[in-house]
Amino acid sequence: MTQEERRRWLIRALLDEQPERYAGVEIPIDEGRQRRLLRALFNLRPAMPAPEALLRVQDAYLSEVRKQRGMTEVDSIAPFCDGFGLWRGDITTLRCDGIVNAANSALLGCFCPNHGCIDNAIHTYAGIQLRLACKEIMDAQGHAEAAGRAKCTPGFNLPARHVLHTVGPIVQGSPTRRDAELLASCYRACLDLADEQGLRSLAFCCISTGEFHFPNDAASRIAVETVRAHAAVRRERIRVIFNVFTEQDELLYRRCLRAD
């Protein structure tokens, strides 16, 4: 199959899975609208097993997408300060042992079609297997994920081998001391889980900023202080990359990392 044939095949297969929901939906002619529709169908698909043929075509499609988007090797990111890396880019293109996902308490990914959050992007490029893996974890747990905790799944079609899902605090107004404690707990939980899983490199997104409204400047200070404290008591350090997506966050992290 060509990439266009895979895309059309996937759209039709996902539409056919829920015929009542998608009655009358037609496959667009142009590539851009096809890609948006396919992403929306990935985002909306419930956490359920998929036929082998669907997984096979999806994995081939996402493999080609990964090649087209390019990858950044973690070893190519030079240490910035105290051995920590600072990298501005799309975390879904980073090849390392683990990346951190800013998840919601259901831990099933973002169901909003084509939403711009990191949770949506990670689930989109990992593939539909990730939502099912998260559901199995949550079914075994039996309750929503509390803020400050972390869970680990495979990365599936992502360049990263694993995804660490953590739920940060949702801030209303100015962050409280409890909010700060929960955010620090997210970083510690991810680092402890990375230790347990034997990960040698881990990329953190800016947890709880954006959709969860934690102020970026305070969040960056908590992130750097917490990771530094973890590194100080570990015999073997995990290679930590602070991943940012905006120029503002890059400047904030540079300032924090350079602080004594």
Side-chain angles (χ1 to χ4, degrees):
M1 284 187 182
T2 66
Q3 192 71 339
E4 180 181 1
E5 289 170 339
R6 293 186 188 109
R7 184 168 55 249
R8 285 180 168 274
W9 190 98
L10 288 168
I11 291 172
R12 177 50 55 197
L14 293 170
L15 291 174
D16 289 346
E17 277 191 328
Q18 300 180 74
E20 294 183 0
R21 183 176 191 179
Y22 297 127
V25 176
E26 299 290 339
I27 300 177
I29 296 174
D30 64 281
E31 179 182 343
R33 292 176 62 198
Q34 287 178 11
R35 292 171 66 179
R36 285 187 59 81
L37 175 57
L38 179 56
R39 177 166 179 165
L41 293 171
F42 281 158
N43 298 157
L44 290 166
R45 188 180 188 273
M48 60 185 186
E52 183 60 35
L54 176 56
L55 293 178
R56 184 171 60 253
V57 177
Q58 177 215 241
D59 291 353
Y61 178 79
L62 290 177
S63 176
E64 184 61 28
V65 169
R66 188 171 64 239
K67 293 176 185 176
Q68 294 171 355
R69 299 175 76 225
M71 289 185 289
T72 297
E73 297 284 348
V74 69
D75 290 340
S76 71
I77 301 172
F80 176 73
C81 189
D82 294 339
F84 301 124
L86 176 60
W87 180 66
R88 182 178 169 190
D90 184 341
I91 201 169
T92 65
T93 66
L94 184 58
R95 186 167 185 166
C96 58
D97 281 355
I99 60 173
V100 173
N101 178 29
N104 56 49
S105 61
L107 224 69
L108 295 180
C110 172
F111 283 85
C112 182
N114 294 290
H115 193 254
C117 69
I118 189 171
D119 199 13
N120 188 293
I122 286 174
H123 275 264
T124 295
Y125 294 111
I128 58 178
Q129 300 97 316
L130 181 56
R131 179 165 284 163
L132 181 59
C134 288
K135 182 179 185 298
E136 291 170 350
I137 290 172
M138 297 307 288
D139 286 348
Q141 179 167 282
H143 56 81
E145 183 77 344
R149 306 285 296 277
K151 296 291 189 294
C152 183
T153 65
F156 296 104
N157 288 288
L158 292 165
R161 290 176 50 230
H162 297 87
V163 180
L164 277 62
H165 308 262
T166 190
V167 181
I170 300 174
V171 175
Q172 298 178 351
S174 299
T176 64
R177 178 178 296 181
R178 179 59 176 161
D179 291 330
E181 291 171 349
L182 287 172
L183 182 57
S185 180
C186 289
Y187 285 90
R188 285 193 295 269
C190 288
L191 289 164
D192 289 342
L193 188 54
D195 277 339
E196 292 174 14
Q197 297 292 324
L199 308 190
R200 303 309 309 150
S201 58
L202 182 64
F204 281 104
C205 63
C206 301
I207 302 167
S208 264
T209 59
E211 296 294 321
F212 282 14
H213 307 299
F214 208 110
N216 296 57
D217 55 348
S220 61
R221 289 195 302 272
I222 291 169
V224 171
E225 290 171 1
T226 305
V227 173
R228 273 184 170 146
H230 182 276
V233 297
R234 290 295 190 272
R235 181 175 300 176
E236 294 187 14
R237 288 176 56 170
I238 296 172
R239 176 131 189 246
V240 170
I241 306 296
F242 292 105
N243 165 243
V244 297
F245 198 66
T246 67
E247 183 179 2
Q248 176 198 19
D249 281 324
E250 183 177 11
L251 293 173
L252 289 171
Y253 272 87
R254 283 182 180 275
R255 187 182 307 155
C256 292
L257 286 164
R258 285 176 174 146
D260 293 333

